[in-house]
């Protein structure tokens, strides 16, 4: 019976991230609209958009190969698995041994690789431009992300997220400059990976600036729904990852119903706070030029490297 209960909690987490991802996107849009004195779309509009796309017929280009048709399913599956591995409201779940930061980076990298290939598969100019820009961003975002991973693994002695969260809750960690640098680097990587302002604007389709939208212009119907759902899951993944590592308080340690309820409430509060901060950040900044994105991510890479060096030196002392 204990195994069944553990599997039920793990299944609850997998279902929870899938159900909350569109709601998180809708809440960010709603807060941004209120900040600029607009009514904005309904909170549940992302759910309606996904259902509408699932009902539509898929239109494929004549030059599309099997890769173009398979990419949405592979991208959605890899992103969902990565999002489900991040501890949200509880630690020590059944699949916590697989919740490794390097494995999550590998899953996101595989999804990005498939997305870039799908963008180039049809042979349109927009798809090629978007894929090349995506690879340019990935060439700097992934090393910066790995620097953050190495910093955390140096502190906790492991890359497993449950162990890192438990370490961050211990009083021995305290306030460290290296962790502050790692947090800033991770936030910058999250902004770039999700195509948010100032790196990209997901609300526009400007030919000269779009990155993610350029790679999915040829998709329609259920394929486009899977692509949009994967993008929503990716946003929730990074907010959950930041909350798990740097704000691990409130997560359930046991398997009791009361502890799980408190952990769920704490996780929802973290998502709410992350969405509000993201909306405030995006409404206070303008989008940068595409050629400035490399400088933005180079700064994230430098911060991650400094965080690792500083933590190594302080631990040695």
């Amino acid at each position: 019976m204990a195994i069944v209960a553990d599997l039920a909690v793990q299944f609850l987490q997998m279902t929870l991230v899938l159900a909350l991802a569109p709601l998180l996107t809708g809440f960010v849009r709603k807060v941004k609209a209120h900040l600029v004195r607009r009514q904005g779309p309904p909170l549940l509009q992302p759910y309606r958009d996904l259902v509408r796309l699932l009902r539509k017929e898929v239109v494929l280009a004549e030059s599309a190969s099997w890769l173009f048709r398979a990419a949405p399913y592979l991208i959605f599956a890899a992103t969902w698995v990565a999002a489900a591995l991040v501890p949200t409201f509880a630690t020590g779940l059944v699949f916590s041994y697989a919740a490794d930061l390097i494995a999550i980076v590998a899953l996101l990298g595989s999804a990005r690789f498939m997305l870039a290939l799908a963008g180039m598969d049809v042979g349109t100019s927009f798809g090629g431009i978007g894929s090349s820009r995506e690879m340019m961003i990935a060439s700097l975002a992934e090393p910066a992300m790995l620097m953050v991973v190495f910093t955390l693994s140096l502190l906790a002695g492991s890359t497993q997220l449950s162990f890192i969260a438990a370490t961050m809750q211990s009083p021995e960690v305290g306030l460290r400059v290296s962790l502050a640098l790692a947090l800033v680097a991770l936030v910058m990587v999250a902004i770039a990976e999700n195509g948010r302002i100032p790196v990209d604007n997901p609300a526009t389709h400007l030919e000269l600036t779009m990155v993610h939208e350029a790679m999915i212009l040829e998709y329609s119907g259920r394929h486009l729904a899977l692509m949009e759902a994967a993008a929503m899951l990716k946003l929730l993944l990074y907010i959950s990852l930041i909350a798990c590592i740097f704000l691990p308080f409130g997560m359930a340690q046991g398997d009791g119903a009361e502890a799980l309820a408190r952990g769920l409430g704490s996780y929802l509060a973290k998502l709410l706070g992350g969405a509000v901060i993201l909306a405030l950040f995006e409404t206070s900044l303008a989008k940068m030029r595409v050629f400035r994105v490399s400088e933005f991510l180079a700064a994230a890479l430098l911060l991650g490297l400094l965080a690792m060096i500083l933590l190594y030196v302080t631990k040695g002392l």
Side-chain angles (χ1 to χ4, degrees), residues 13-122:
Q13 173 165 305
M14 295 180 64
T15 308
L16 183 68
V17 296
L18 184 60
L20 288 181
L23 184 62
L24 176 65
T25 301
F27 184 75
V28 172
R29 293 174 182 173
K30 194 72 174 178
V31 174
K32 288 177 64 177
H34 279 291
L35 289 175
V36 296
R37 299 183 182 276
R38 292 190 294 109
Q39 182 177 358
L43 193 61
L44 301 180
Q45 187 62 41
Y47 294 101
R48 300 174 184 174
D49 293 339
L50 292 177
V51 172
R52 174 176 53 85
L53 289 173
L54 288 173
R55 292 176 178 175
K56 284 191 173 183
E57 181 182 359
V58 175
V59 179
L60 293 173
E62 294 181 357
S63 58
S65 67
W66 64 269
L67 178 64
F68 186 82
R69 296 188 292 270
Y73 301 97
L74 297 175
I75 293 170
F76 175 77
T79 309
W80 187 16
V81 171
L85 287 178
V86 178
T88 55
F89 61 91
T91 59
L93 299 181
V94 176
F95 297 146
S96 61
Y97 67 92
D100 189 275
L101 273 174
I102 297 179
I104 292 174
V105 172
L107 285 170
L108 294 177
S110 301
R112 182 189 301 107
F113 176 70
M114 292 301 302
L115 180 60
L117 286 181
M120 296 187 296
D121 184 76
V122 180

Side-chain angles (χ1 to χ4, degrees), residues 23-228:
L23 184 62
L24 176 65
T25 301
F27 184 75
V28 172
R29 293 174 182 173
K30 194 72 174 178
V31 174
K32 288 177 64 177
H34 279 291
L35 289 175
V36 296
R37 299 183 182 276
R38 292 190 294 109
Q39 182 177 358
L43 193 61
L44 301 180
Q45 187 62 41
Y47 294 101
R48 300 174 184 174
D49 293 339
L50 292 177
V51 172
R52 174 176 53 85
L53 289 173
L54 288 173
R55 292 176 178 175
K56 284 191 173 183
E57 181 182 359
V58 175
V59 179
L60 293 173
E62 294 181 357
S63 58
S65 67
W66 64 269
L67 178 64
F68 186 82
R69 296 188 292 270
Y73 301 97
L74 297 175
I75 293 170
F76 175 77
T79 309
W80 187 16
V81 171
L85 287 178
V86 178
T88 55
F89 61 91
T91 59
L93 299 181
V94 176
F95 297 146
S96 61
Y97 67 92
D100 189 275
L101 273 174
I102 297 179
I104 292 174
V105 172
L107 285 170
L108 294 177
S110 301
R112 182 189 301 107
F113 176 70
M114 292 301 302
L115 180 60
L117 286 181
M120 296 187 296
D121 184 76
V122 180
T124 61
S125 58
F126 285 154
I129 291 174
S131 298
S132 63
R133 290 174 177 173
E134 181 72 13
M135 290 297 100
M136 182 269 292
I137 293 174
S139 64
L140 290 172
E142 287 189 359
M145 182 69 179
L146 288 176
M147 288 298 102
V148 176
V149 172
F150 295 153
T151 302
L152 296 172
S153 63
L154 186 63
L155 176 65
S158 174
T159 56
Q160 192 180 53
L161 278 172
S162 295
F163 194 83
I164 292 175
T167 303
M168 294 293 286
Q169 293 184 64
S170 62
E172 291 80 8
V173 174
L175 297 177
R176 296 172 182 256
V177 177
S178 57
L179 292 180
L181 295 177
L183 173 59
V184 175
L186 182 56
V187 170
M188 295 173 72
V189 170
I191 291 172
E193 289 277 22
N194 288 279
R196 312 297 301 194
I197 294 175
V199 175
D200 192 14
N201 189 356
T204 62
H205 289 76
L206 298 177
E207 293 86 351
L208 297 177
T209 61
M210 60 184 177
V211 179
H212 179 266
E213 296 295 331
M215 294 182 288
I216 63 173
L217 277 178
E218 297 298 321
Y219 280 106
S220 60
R222 63 178 180 274
H223 292 164
L224 183 57
L226 290 173
M227 289 291 197
E228 295 290 348

Side-chain angles (χ1 to χ4, degrees), residues 285-302:
L285 292 178
K287 184 187 177 303
M288 66 176 65
R289 297 178 61 188
V290 176
F291 302 106
R292 298 287 302 275
V293 175
S294 58
E295 300 176 6
F296 179 81
L297 289 174
L301 177 58
L302 179 60

